[in-house]
Amino acid sequence: MHLISDISLWFTIPIALISGFLSIYVYQKNTWFSDLRKYHQHSLRVLRFCSLFLIGILLLGLILQSINYRDEKPIFITLIDNSNSIMNYKDTNSIKDQINDFKSQLKSRYGEKFELVDLIVGTNVSNQKLDFRDKTSNLEAGFEKINYDYYNRNIGGIAFISDGNFNVGANPAYAAEKISLTPIFSLAVGDTTPKKDQLIKNISANDIAFLNNDFPVEVDIESIKFSGKSARLTIFENGNQIASQTLTYSNSKRDFKQLNFTLKAKKIGFQTYTVKLQPLEGEKTLKNNQRTFYVEIIDSRNKVLMLAGAPHPDVAALKEVLDQNENIETESVLIKDWDKSIEKTDLVIWHEPGTNFDNNVLEIFQNRNIPVFYVIGPNTEANVISKLNIGISGVKGNKTDDIQPTLKEGFNEFELTEKVEEALEYYPPLKSKFGSFKIEGNPTILLNQRVGPVKKNDPLLFFVNRNSIKTGVLYGEGIWRWKLNDFIRSGNHEAFSELISKTLNFLMVKQQEAGLRIEFPKRFSIEEDVIVNASFYNAALEPITKPQIQLKLSDDKGKVFRSQFGVSGSGYKLSLGKLKAGKYKWEADTKFNGKTYRKSGAFIVEDIEIEKIETAANHGVMKQLAKQSNGSFYQLKDYQKLLNDIEKREDITTISFEETEFNKLIDYLSILILLFLLLAAEWFLRRYLGSY
């Protein structure tokens, strides 16, 4: 223990001199002091000197350095594999008893010498009750947890109890290497002898498939000791057989086969597919002969309705572009023949609305908030244009004009390739109404008008937004000539198709609107908590939490659960906990300002059964862990050997740590008490000797 100071300790000499001088000077002129006996005078001066000198020392900011020694007992960690694969062996019933006996005797023999820690690892790492119910084995996570929680601690050893099988994460040996200088004692369970068995090792399939499309499925099969045997693999969709193949194993003891299937997506929603492998005589277990997977079938197709007052080559040109996209369903019909069915329509293309104009048709589109792409030529009168609510005004007369396109600078809603930009310079003119016109609001202009080399400010192809619904306008007819011009110049229609496709796709992309929004993942496992997030936006698209949001959940057996979202920050959150495996449908609703908002969907909870696949233990991993850490490998039933060997290990010992403390002298209470006692003693002695 010694003093440290930023200021030289030689300063204590002038402090002592100043303290001595002040002690003499203070009492020099007092007449009562001179009448005192000598030892009283010396006592007062000494007390005053000690007080001033101590104050001066404290003002130097001295720091007292002290060194302490702390003993830390070795930490001995028991890490137990809690995965379901432990239950796959003959000695399952005795494993838990052996583990409890080991822990009990470890505590009895070394509880005073070691700090004992128990952890279980499976899907996650915890110190919960051992039950062998985890559906996955993430052994790597156990050693990562130990390294993180006990970094730089005196870890004496790790007893690792497992069958060595892992199916999530990397080989645990990599994570164990980070826990340096710590021996790992592997206590192995299970039988490593390969059993006569065949199993579905893995299924590869897309999570999502499109309606009426084909999607691939790959099934990996492993066989053990079934040389030359044949079996049949069958796939069922919602209980109905849809595909099957026969496989024949080779003459080797262990064989792998991969079967490829092409299935048809026939029905929208989550579809259940069950893969079954025909049992063979003598199999160890049939639990791994069947697996289930789910595929969400969605109808991604957008429906486009093309209306025209009369037949026109423009309509055919547009339809041909749309037909190239298999995800777009197109219906082309004349106004007079249309049945006014607008169900599930995502976009309307209305060519020359002034030809056989029907105001009832316009009201249908406006009431249903469906985006419309208008092709307005010279046959559409000014009074019809004003009814379309696209912001065009100032249109006069019936004269026509020939106008060519030019790309508007600064357009960035979507990108066009150089091929399109070049083609626009060569496209022939469209027939349009003569004269300039005005557009209210802030239209988004893609193409402006051009007459020869002269570029005009009037738009040719533009977009307007009304109540979050986009509307497109092509102010001219005859775009079939653009398609023909493409083919004459380049031998294809790529530039024309790109321009039209991107224009129509831009109109079909739905913008976020005010109202209810639900973030609900489509897939969970039975080990996951089902957590749902929601939000509600007012007309200004500000998130609010005033409405109460209800959720109705129903499983595939018709059982209904009802819950209410809780407020979380500027949104909502609801935890449904862990759910049983199966398909679920949900519906969320709320009311705000007298209007009801609803959202619905579906999700699945999968029962991952990969723990049933392996029927043999993997003691190679256990031996690797022991060898690389200078530990030892044992069978669990031989745990007494481990307990005896621990006592012989010289590297599992208590470690003494040197700890250095730095404290300011003024922080010590005893110093302050001493200063107080010196000042109090001087004051008391002066009063006692008659000082005033």
Side-chain angles (χ1 to χ4, degrees):
M1 183 180 295
H2 60 277
L3 293 172
I4 301 174
S5 175
D6 293 334
I7 302 174
S8 175
L9 294 180
W10 287 104
F11 275 92
T12 57
I13 295 175
I15 290 175
L17 293 175
I18 293 172
S19 300
F21 171 77
L22 291 176
S23 300
I24 296 172
Y25 179 79
V26 166
Y27 290 108
Q28 185 176 358
K29 296 183 178 181
N30 292 317
T31 55
W32 64 271
F33 182 77
S34 58
D35 296 336
L36 297 177
R37 296 178 181 180
K38 291 294 182 182
Y39 71 88
H40 285 150
Q41 293 179 3
H42 293 325
S43 298
L44 288 171
R45 283 173 175 163
V46 168
L47 289 171
R48 175 59 62 91
F49 171 81
C50 292
S51 301
L52 294 175
F53 182 75
L54 186 56
I55 291 172
I57 293 296
L58 293 177
L59 291 176
L60 283 179
L62 294 180
I63 295 175
L64 188 64
Q65 178 185 4
S66 60
I67 299 176
N68 301 315
Y69 294 91
R70 175 178 60 85
D71 292 336
E72 182 179 2
K73 294 192 296 184
I75 303 170
F76 196 89
I77 300 172
T78 302
L79 180 64
I80 307 171
D81 185 351
N82 192 49
S83 63
N84 194 244
S85 65
I86 303 296
M87 308 296 289
N88 291 342
Y89 312 107
K90 290 189 298 185
D91 55 352
T92 294
N93 295 331
S94 61
I95 288 176
K96 196 167 186 179
D97 292 336
Q98 290 173 355
I99 291 175
N100 290 332
D101 290 344
F102 166 73
K103 291 167 59 178
S104 176
Q105 293 192 37
L106 179 67
K107 183 176 181 181
S108 176
R109 294 181 60 173
Y110 300 103
E112 296 296 325
K113 298 179 182 179
F114 302 160
E115 179 185 341
L116 301 179
V117 175
D118 293 333
L119 294 173
I120 64 172
V121 58
T123 304
N124 300 299
V125 185
S126 69
N127 54 5
Q128 302 299 315
K129 183 180 178 181
L130 188 67
D131 55 15
F132 304 121
R133 292 184 178 178
D134 283 9
K135 300 293 184 179
T136 56
S137 301
N138 187 3
L139 303 184
E140 176 193 28
F143 293 97
E144 291 283 5
K145 175 76 171 176
I146 292 172
N147 182 55
Y148 181 82
D149 289 354
Y150 298 95
Y151 184 74
N152 266 349
R153 296 286 304 277
N154 180 22
I155 306 177
I158 300 172
F160 181 42
I161 304 173
S162 173
D163 61 355
N165 287 319
F166 61 93
N167 42 52
V168 175
N171 190 318
Y174 303 135
E177 285 181 339
K178 301 177 185 177
I179 313 172
S180 58
L181 305 177
T182 300
I184 298 175
F185 305 102
S186 297
L187 291 169
V189 301
D191 187 359
T192 58
T193 305
K195 308 298 189 300
K196 192 174 184 180
D197 194 24
Q198 58 169 354
L199 56 105
I200 300 173
K201 191 78 173 178
N202 185 56
I203 298 176
S204 297
N206 296 333
D207 290 338
I208 295 174
F210 297 110
L211 183 65
N212 295 324
N213 283 5
D214 294 334
F215 62 94
V217 176
E218 293 180 354
V219 183
D220 297 331
I221 307 295
E222 180 180 0
S223 70
I224 305 169
K225 298 182 179 180
F226 276 115
S227 303
K229 298 290 185 180
S230 297
R232 191 161 187 81
L233 186 77
T234 307
I235 299 180
F236 297 85
E237 179 184 10
N238 299 321
N240 300 315
Q241 179 178 332
I242 58 172
S244 65
Q245 289 186 37
T246 299
L247 63 156
T248 301
Y249 301 120
S250 66
N251 292 324
S252 59
K253 289 185 178 180
R254 187 183 290 264
D255 190 20
F256 294 88
K257 297 289 184 183
Q258 184 179 86
L259 302 184
N260 297 301
F261 296 86
T262 301
L263 305 183
K264 187 81 170 179
K266 299 178 180 178
K267 187 178 179 181
I268 295 175
F270 280 103
Q271 305 304 317
T272 305
Y273 296 90
T274 304
V275 182
K276 292 183 179 181
L277 183 60
Q278 176 190 349
L280 294 177
E281 185 178 354
E283 282 194 67
K284 165 66 177 176
T285 178
L286 299 180
K287 292 180 179 179
N288 49 24
N289 285 39
Q290 177 175 317
R291 291 186 66 174
T292 299
F293 68 97
Y294 299 88
V295 177
E296 184 183 10
I297 310 300
I298 61 175
D299 187 358
S300 66
R301 294 175 301 175
N302 290 311
K303 183 177 179 181
V304 177
L305 173 64
M306 301 186 67
L307 293 177
H312 198 282
D314 279 355
V315 177
L318 292 171
K319 189 176 186 303
E320 186 173 335
V321 173
L322 293 172
D323 287 343
Q324 294 174 6
N325 190 335
E326 62 180 13
N327 292 321
I328 294 180
E329 177 187 347
T330 308
E331 179 187 0
S332 180
V333 63
L334 297 177
I335 287 285
K336 63 183 181 63
D337 299 327
W338 184 44
D339 61 3
K340 296 185 174 53
S341 174
I342 201 72
E343 190 68 24
K344 296 182 179 180
T345 298
D346 299 289
L347 175 68
V348 174
I349 300 176
W350 196 349
H351 187 273
E352 282 284 28
T355 303
N356 297 322
F357 176 73
D358 187 340
N359 196 65
N360 294 328
V361 172
L362 180 62
E363 290 180 358
I364 292 174
F365 301 151
Q366 293 177 343
N367 292 336
R368 297 291 295 272
N369 292 329
I370 297 174
V372 182
F373 181 60
Y374 294 104
V375 180
I376 298 177
N379 293 327
T380 301
E381 300 293 338
N383 65 326
V384 174
I385 295 176
S386 64
K387 294 178 181 179
L388 300 180
N389 193 28
I390 52 178
I392 293 180
S393 61
V395 179
K396 298 179 181 178
N398 295 318
K399 294 182 179 180
T400 62
D401 198 0
D402 292 334
I403 51 177
Q404 291 176 279
T406 182
L407 189 64
K408 173 73 182 307
E409 293 184 6
F411 179 83
N412 55 13
E413 297 297 331
F414 52 85
E415 294 184 1
L416 295 172
T417 62
E418 293 182 1
K419 182 183 294 185
V420 177
E421 295 180 16
E422 180 183 354
L424 290 172
E425 299 299 319
Y426 294 96
Y427 280 164
L430 303 181
K431 284 290 183 183
S432 175
K433 299 183 78 65
F434 179 80
S436 298
F437 59 91
K438 297 179 180 179
I439 305 178
E440 299 173 0
N442 296 306
T444 302
I445 301 173
L446 172 58
L447 301 177
N448 272 335
Q449 296 182 15
R450 174 171 61 89
V451 178
V454 180
K455 296 181 180 180
K456 301 173 63 178
N457 291 326
D458 295 321
L460 175 61
L461 176 56
F462 62 93
F463 309 98
V464 294
N465 198 315
R466 297 286 186 270
N467 299 322
S468 299
I469 302 300
K470 287 178 287 191
T471 300
V473 178
L474 177 64
Y475 198 70
E477 60 88 15
I479 55 173
W480 64 272
R481 299 186 183 90
W482 291 3
K483 177 186 173 186
L484 183 61
N485 179 268
D486 252 0
F487 189 80
I488 293 173
R489 287 186 308 101
S490 58
N492 57 59
H493 309 120
E494 291 179 3
F496 177 76
S497 296
E498 180 185 341
L499 175 64
I500 298 303
S501 294
K502 290 187 175 181
T503 297
L504 300 182
N505 285 337
F506 174 69
L507 290 170
M508 284 187 283
V509 173
K510 296 178 175 61
Q511 292 184 321
Q512 294 284 11
E513 302 178 16
L516 180 63
R517 302 179 191 176
I518 305 292
E519 298 175 22
F520 211 136
K522 294 293 186 72
R523 291 174 180 269
F524 299 90
S525 75
I526 59 175
E527 296 294 318
E528 291 181 273
D529 287 328
V530 178
I531 297 176
V532 193
N533 293 304
S535 54
F536 191 90
Y537 290 82
N538 60 17
L541 292 182
E542 299 169 330
I544 60 174
T545 55
K546 183 179 179 181
Q548 291 186 348
I549 303 176
Q550 312 294 330
L551 181 76
K552 183 176 75 172
L553 184 69
S554 56
D555 60 18
D556 47 10
K557 296 180 181 178
K559 190 174 181 180
V560 176
F561 310 87
R562 297 182 185 275
S563 302
Q564 180 174 308
F565 282 84
V567 175
S568 176
S570 60
Y572 301 81
K573 181 175 286 188
L574 174 61
S575 176
L576 299 172
K578 295 180 175 63
L579 299 178
K580 294 181 179 180
K583 295 186 289 187
Y584 293 83
K585 294 181 180 180
W586 60 268
E587 182 179 296
D589 65 85
T590 187
K591 290 185 178 181
F592 183 68
N593 288 340
K595 185 178 179 180
T596 300
Y597 298 84
R598 283 191 176 87
K599 296 288 183 180
S600 61
F603 67 97
I604 59 168
V605 178
E606 297 177 288
D607 186 2
I608 303 173
E609 299 179 334
I610 52 179
E611 286 294 307
K612 297 179 181 179
I613 292 176
E614 300 293 346
T615 57
N618 183 6
H619 288 179
V621 170
M622 307 293 286
K623 292 176 181 178
Q624 180 185 2
L625 288 167
K627 183 178 180 180
Q628 75 180 24
S629 63
N630 194 28
S632 303
F633 174 84
Y634 310 87
Q635 295 288 339
L636 177 60
K637 62 184 179 181
D638 299 326
Y639 66 83
Q640 287 290 353
K641 294 181 181 179
L642 168 59
L643 295 173
N644 294 331
D645 290 346
I646 289 175
E647 197 164 0
K648 302 174 186 177
R649 302 280 303 211
E650 295 181 356
D651 53 349
I652 306 179
T653 183
T654 298
I655 296 178
S656 183
F657 292 91
E658 180 184 286
E659 296 180 341
T660 302
E661 291 186 4
F662 297 91
N663 297 295
K664 291 183 178 179
L665 203 61
I666 198 171
D667 292 335
Y668 284 91
L669 181 61
S670 57
I671 300 294
L672 297 178
I673 293 175
L674 176 61
L675 178 61
F676 172 78
L677 292 176
L678 289 171
L679 294 172
E682 182 188 1
W683 177 84
F684 176 79
L685 187 58
R686 290 183 58 174
R687 303 295 289 178
Y688 176 76
L689 296 175
S691 171
Y692 297 99

